[in-house]
Amino acid sequence: MGKLTTHVLDTAHGRPGAGIKVELFALSGETRRALKTTLTNDDGRCDSPLLEGDALVTGEYELVFHAGDYFAAIGVKVPEPRFVDRVALRFGVADSGSHYHVPLLVSPWAYSTYRGS
């Protein structure tokens, strides 16, 4: 059974990114359809998969992480506008029976991702 999961690591402070708003969208051409909005838990993970089973279909998706709001909430002083604010990651699911794990490593000045396991 396929599933989509994520987690966030705050690389500036060496800890999980807790309480970060995460939005998931399905993409079709220029159309974006909202699928889910959630918050990361104390471990920087979502409490359940973002999609799983029949809900995960082949196609293109976008995850939007509200990283700038997270850093502001923990008291990080950054200039306005924020250099890293909302991080949008677009990715494809080619095999809906597989586990797609899309982590975000983020600081107020940079971010990266990869396909995890």
Side-chain angles (χ1 to χ4, degrees), residues 37-61:
T37 300
T38 190
L39 292 174
T40 58
N41 60 25
D42 289 344
D43 195 34
R45 300 176 181 277
C46 300
D47 289 329
S48 61
L50 298 171
L51 294 174
E52 63 183 323
D54 293 339
L56 180 64
V57 298
T58 301
E60 294 181 36
Y61 295 88

Side-chain angles (χ1 to χ4, degrees), residues 22-28 31-37 51 61-62:
V22 179
E23 298 174 293
L24 174 65
F25 298 89
L27 305 176
S28 179
T31 303
R32 245 169 125 224
R33 183 172 47 92
L35 298 177
K36 187 170 193 172
T37 300
L51 294 174
Y61 295 88
E62 181 178 66

